[in-house]
């Protein structure tokens, strides 16, 4: 039987494809006639926010993206950064927010699958993964179900595929109640002379379909990922896809074998709007036309229309331009791995994107225009307001400092995430030097004696909400700090910008301001943005999420024998605060959790100071003065000290010069670290900091089995641990008290 | 009115068109084990539920509520129920 | 000692295992693809961890029916050493080379953490370099490690001193009956265990408690003596 | 003699006495969801198999062979088969 590919183009149909009037006019001009149904689908896929970045492009261009270490910046499947000795690290972060809210397990799983594919499409073997998660408030009825599904899905895919998950974030906030965030990061390792890109070269060459068969999965998914949620969410359900990590693992091995065989000219994974985006990308990049014969596409469902095949988001698929003489060898590799391999098209010199189905032409469009001439908007935006500073005396001190500290480290946003990361394989590949629980994940560079890579994912949404510019800076600065704290030199970063509806000037303003902050920080801290992803329209019934520009940073450790950890301080070590006494309590967890308020400005970041202190701490770690190190972030100095005590099992005796005790202990002033130093080196360390002009304070020593701070805090480490470890398991088991 | 005991079977299967990686793998394995008569395999779940309810009808209502709430992931799965007892 | 390692689609701790075997054995490992029907000449066959066939149907079930398995059974009967770790252990039970079955973890979730193991018996070629009763550290990373055997079978392997590793100090991560973490066959030449000794063999791993198992299985003493 | 198409259902359930962590967990959640009528839950698998065979009997024989060889782990599982032509 033949499938009907025709369908009248009505105004409603156009609207349902998320195409507005002007856009449709432009489509008519470029198509030079009324588009066919299949063509309309293709245009909408290429022009929706998800694929075209039409609202964000203008601003993304302002981010610093190069540096001597950058091999490929944004634009490829993932960023590529030189780490020396002929090795490169390939990484990117991507969101799967909407699918994960609809079907948490599969949504999160396919999110991980997608980002892994982005990395190995370029020829890199994935070596590390992270996941940045934001959920609604714990007592929202949906939250527990979403947490368990998302975490199981991330583990289910990553563990089976075989990549260690070495870091991430989990936050809970009311503003994510109807729109959670699942941002997945992956990094891979490759040789600098064996990187593959999507730019096709050569006319008349076979275009090959690789991997799993095509079904109706996610037809319209790309359109959904850019649509605001409303109560009619159920209708969107069929677009959820099921991931198959087993096939993905086979695809990885097959692709790496294929690349080694020299058969690959260009390769591109099929992500959103699979066949359409990948084919157009290859052609447009290489100034070539592409002709596809859909009758040759491996399908797993009957009577699929051209429209469905072109927009299907079935997972674990790739498109490749092949060296013809290598076809048999290439086919053999894919047969060995039990994967489909089909020549489905050819490259042409006419710059047309031509689709045949059942021996009929169902689409014939200008490929460059599809790829490059997507609309670009300068959406109206308003500069976000800022808050005047708030002095410490404006904040009530706690009645009991020990109780406040215990409460904080046992609160949803500060408690241990062990329940989460023990469901992830953190050890596979035998290279994990630091697993979750410290400041950054660290993995060895295989084949290298001493080199290692560090990974951290960071953003503090409540800061961004209060001041998008400072919040943007802070996200990068905290990422920088987490890398430094392990002894890594920050190299570059990827971003995942999660915001609400960009058609609202306030939201657009937050977006613009945070990008300005991110850009300045990346510039000042030498961390260019080499890849990224934008997720807009994160709103439910008109309420937007907290603005959440997640930053994924990568750093290099030349010799992991000189690496620092959070928990390696030894009895008798001297504890130094790098930085000064805290005074900033606005937008802190102390304010939110203890005082029940969220107001005022976030702590500002002085980027020059950030860099100076970072370089000082890095030097101290590299020269092995630091027996342990931890940056000070959420919850301030007291929480950071508690985290070090819990990690080492030792107590600490601290005597601080204090003006405002609650600010000194819980203030979240930026650019600060705690460094533990063997007492025989303590004076030397102090002298060095004097010399380098970095402010520091000798705050105490590692001792006993309790954390003691002046006459304010005195808590047994065991007690801290219990409070820290108990919330998550309790919450997930549905027990009260969580 | 006293409750009666019922034995129910709840079948949870993937919706048509939803990819079934397990079924696919099993199909492949059966073929390579020489069962070449096998055309397709889809894997689903079956729950044997013992429950007490006032009537068969009440039991069925409870069971479909259980499916909606927990047993089935209605985003990708269908369910069917048979009650005996 | 010649060593062979069998790779299945979906194996993913094979690279960890190869690294451990080559580092400690000092010899290249011969790789065998699951579709082969013969093993190369070898004294030790290793079934690595991972998710062969995605762990679909049952963990290790499909791999246990692959062509190479008959050759492995034959070799085991002839006394060749066979080591199955994690997914490899699951395959050995599914293939009937070891008794019992590995069920879904009692907590239902995948669990990756370090546990403590008691070396119960040292009467075989895998644990002989440990002291009986010794407690060692070892990581686990699995979803289906909950060992189960019917009462009579359980009695048989306990009485037959076939339980080689037990989770110790309350660290049983999966609900295994009798805290069983690893067992061997009656002859003592086939060992299956859920924990991953290959992930704890060098300083970079934070410990080396896993080394002795490979030193024993690979006869490194004899090698060093020779 | 030409092959006919058959649709079969294969049920694989845990033997009595074999503990069923999934079933137990589901039982627990159902109770905590307020379904206190639930006395016990056991989880099993069901396979929808499409196969071609010369006769229904032949189909049944093939299917039980599949169970013995792959679909069931007879150490801990029982199976049953229903074939509809
Ligand atoms: N979703 C997750 N997956 C893996 N590890 C996580 C996840 N969430 C948090 N972690 C880990 O828990 C630790 C604490 O997280 P966080 O408080 O965000 O660290 P930091 O304050 O140093 O940024 C870190 O090691 C982090 O990598
Ligand atoms: Mg940190």
């Amino acid at each position: 039987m033949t499938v009907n590919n025709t369908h009248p183009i009505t105004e409603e149909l156009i609207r349902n494809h998320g195409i507005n009037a002007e856009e449709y006019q432009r489509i008519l001009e470029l198509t030079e006639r009324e588009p066919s149904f299949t063509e309309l689908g293709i245009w909408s896929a290429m022009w929706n926010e998800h694929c075209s970045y039409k609202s964000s492009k203008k601003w993304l261009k302002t981010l610093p993206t190069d540096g001597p270490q950058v091999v490929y910046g944004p634009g490829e499947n993932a960023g590529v950064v030189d780490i020396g000795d002929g090795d490169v690290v390939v990484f990117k972060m991507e969101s799967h927010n909407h699918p994960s809210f609809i079907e948490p397990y599969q949504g999160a799983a396919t999110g991980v699958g997608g980002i892994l594919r982005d990395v190995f499409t370029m020829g890199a073997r994935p070596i590390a993964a992270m996941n940045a998660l934001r959920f609604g408030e714990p007592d929202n009825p949906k939250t527990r179900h979403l947490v368990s599904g998302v975490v199981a899905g991330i583990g289910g895919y990553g563990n089976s595929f075989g990549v260690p998950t070495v870091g991430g974030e989990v936050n809970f906030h009311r503003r994510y109640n109807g729109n959670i965030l699942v941002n997945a990061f992956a990094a891979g390792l490759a040789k600098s002379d064996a990187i593959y890109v999507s730019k096709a070269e050569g006319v008349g060459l076979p275009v090959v379909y690789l991997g799993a068969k095509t079904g109706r999965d996610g037809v319209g998914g790309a359109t959904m990922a850019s649509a605001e949620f409303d109560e009619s969410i159920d209708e969107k359900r069929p677009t959820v896809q099921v991931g198959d990590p087993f096939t993905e693992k086979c695809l990885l091995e097959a692709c790496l074998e294929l690349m080694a065989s020299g058969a690959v000219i260009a390769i591109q994974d099929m992500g959103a709007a699979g066949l359409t985006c990948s084919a157009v990308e290859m052609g447009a990049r290489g100034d070539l036309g592409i002709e596809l014969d859909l009758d040759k596409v491996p399908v797993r469902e009957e009577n699929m229309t051209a429209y469905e095949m072109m927009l299907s988001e079935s997972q674990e698929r790739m498109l490749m331009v092949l060296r013809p003489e290598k076809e048999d060898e290439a086919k053999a590799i894919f047969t060995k791995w039990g994967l489909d391999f089909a020549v489905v098209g050819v490259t042409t010199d006419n710059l047309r994107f031509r689709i045949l189905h059942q021996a009929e032409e169902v689409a014939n469009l200008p490929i460059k225009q599809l790829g490059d001439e997507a609309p670009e908007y300068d959406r109206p935006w308003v500069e976000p307001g800022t808050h005047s500073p708030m002095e410490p005396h404006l904040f009530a001190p706690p009645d009991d400092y020990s109780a406040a500290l215990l409460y904080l480290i046992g609160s949803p946003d500060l408690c241990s995430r062990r329940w989460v990361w023990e469901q992830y394989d953190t050890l596979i590949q035998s290279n994990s030097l630091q697993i979750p629980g410290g400041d950054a994940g660290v993995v060895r560079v295989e084949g290298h004696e001493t080199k290692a890579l560090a990974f951290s994912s960071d953003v503090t949404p409540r800061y961004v909400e209060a001041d998008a510019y400072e919040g943007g800076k802070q996200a990068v600065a905290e990422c920088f700090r987490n890398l430094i704290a392990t002894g890594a030199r920050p190299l570059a970063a990827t971003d995942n910008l999660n915001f609400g509806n960009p058609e609202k000037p306030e939201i657009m303003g937050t977006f613009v301001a945070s990008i300005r902050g991110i850009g300045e920080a990346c510039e000042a801290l030498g961390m260019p943005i080499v890849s990224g992803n934008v997720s807009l329209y994160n709103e439910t019934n008109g309420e937007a999420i907290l603005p959440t520009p997640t930053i994924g940073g990568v750093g290099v450790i030349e010799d992991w024998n000189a690496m620092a950890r959070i928990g390696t301080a030894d009895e008798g070590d001297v504890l130094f605060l790098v930085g000064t006494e805290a005074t900033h309590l606005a937008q802190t967890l102390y304010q939110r959790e203890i005082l029940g308020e969220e107001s005022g400005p976030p702590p500002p970041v002085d980027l020059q100071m950030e860099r100076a202190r970072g370089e000082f701490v890095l030097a101290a770690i590299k020269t092995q003065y630091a027996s342990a190190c931890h940056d000070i972030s959420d919850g301030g100095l007291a929480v950071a000290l508690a985290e070090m005590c819990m990690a080492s099992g030792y107590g600490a005796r601290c005597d601080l010069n204090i003006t405002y005790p609650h600010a000194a202990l819980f203030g979240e002033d930026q650019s600060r670290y705690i460094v533990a130093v063997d007492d025989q080196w303590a004076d030397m360390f102090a002298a060095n900091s004097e010399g380098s002009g970095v402010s520091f304070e000798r705050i105490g020593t590692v001792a006993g089995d309790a954390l003691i701070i002046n006459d304010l805090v005195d808590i047994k480490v065991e007690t801290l641990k219990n409070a820290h470890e108990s919330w998550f398991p309790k919450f997930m088991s549905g027990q009260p008290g969580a | 009115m006293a409750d009666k005991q019922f034995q129910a079977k709840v079948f949870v299967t993937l919706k048509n068109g939803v990819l079934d990686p397990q079924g696919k793998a099993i199909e492949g394995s059966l073929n390579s084990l020489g069962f070449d008569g096998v055309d397709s395999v889809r894997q689903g779940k079956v729950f044997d539920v013992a429950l007490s309810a006032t009537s068969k009808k009440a039991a069925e209502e409870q069971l479909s509520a259980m499916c909606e709430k927990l047993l089935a992931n209605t985003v990708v799965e269908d369910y069917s129920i048979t009650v005996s007892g | 000692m010649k060593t062979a390692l069998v790779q299945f689609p979906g194996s993913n701790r094979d690279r960890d295992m190869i690294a451990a075997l080559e580092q400690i054995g000092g010899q290249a490992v011969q790789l065998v693809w699951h579709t082969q029907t013969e093993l190369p000449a070898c004294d030790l066959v290793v079934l690595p961890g991972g998710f062969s066939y995605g762990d679909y149907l049952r963990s290790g079930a499909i791999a246990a029916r692959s062509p190479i398995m008959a050759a492995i059974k034959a070799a085991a009967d002839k006394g060749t050493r066979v080591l199955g770790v994690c997914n490899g252990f699951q395959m050995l039970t599914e293939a009937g080379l070891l008794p019992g079955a590995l069920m879904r973890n009692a907590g239902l979730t995948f669990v990756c953490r370090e546990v403590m193991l008691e070396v119960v018996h040292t009467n075989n070629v895998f644990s002989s370099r440990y002291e009986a009763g010794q407690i060692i550290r070892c990581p686990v990373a699995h979803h289906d490690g909950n060992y189960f055997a019917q009462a009579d079978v359980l009695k048989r392997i306990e009485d037959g001193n076939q339980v080689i590793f037990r989770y110790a100090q309350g660290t049983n991560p999966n609900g295994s009956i009798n805290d069983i973490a690893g067992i061997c066959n009656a002859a003592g030449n086939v060992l299956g265990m859920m924990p991953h000794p290959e992930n704890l063999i060098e300083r970079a791993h934070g410990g080396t408690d896993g080394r002795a198992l490979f030193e024993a299985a690979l006869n490194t003493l004899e090698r060093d003596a020779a």
Side-chain angles (χ1 to χ4, degrees), chain A residues 588-603:
Chain A
T588 59
L589 287 181
Y590 174 78
Q591 182 196 30
R592 193 182 82 192
E593 299 296 319
I594 306 292
L595 304 181
E597 298 160 20
E598 292 179 76
S599 67

Side-chain angles (χ1 to χ4, degrees), chain A residues 186-209:
Chain A
L189 200 62
K191 290 289 168 199
S192 47
D193 58 5
I195 289 295
Y196 292 82
V197 294
S198 54
K199 181 169 175 290
E201 280 167 17
V203 174
L205 298 179
V207 175
V208 183
Y209 173 114

Side-chain angles (χ1 to χ4, degrees), chain A residues 361-392:
Chain A
E361 178 180 280
V362 291
N364 187 338
L365 297 169
I367 203 161
K368 294 290 280 185
Q369 286 75 353
L370 271 172
D372 313 338
E373 280 184 33
E376 180 174 336
Y377 294 127
D378 183 359
R379 301 228 186 249
W381 58 281
V382 292
E383 186 69 41
T386 52
H387 308 258
S388 45
M390 293 171 74
E391 296 299 313

Side-chain angles (χ1 to χ4, degrees), chain C residues 1-4 17-29 43-46 81 83 125-129 201 210-224:
Chain C
M1 289 284 291
K2 287 208 180 58
T3 306
M17 182 60 81
I18 293 164
L21 291 166
E22 294 187 342
Q23 212 187 103
I24 297 168
Q27 263 188 353
V29 170
D43 317 285
L44 170 66
V45 183
V46 182
R81 300 172 181 189
L83 170 64
V125 295
F126 299 97
S127 59
S128 57
R129 298 279 179 91
I201 61 152
R211 278 191 86 90
L213 184 138
F214 295 100
E215 287 166 353
L218 295 162
N219 286 0
T220 53
L221 269 192
E222 293 74 348
R223 183 198 72 207
D224 301 345

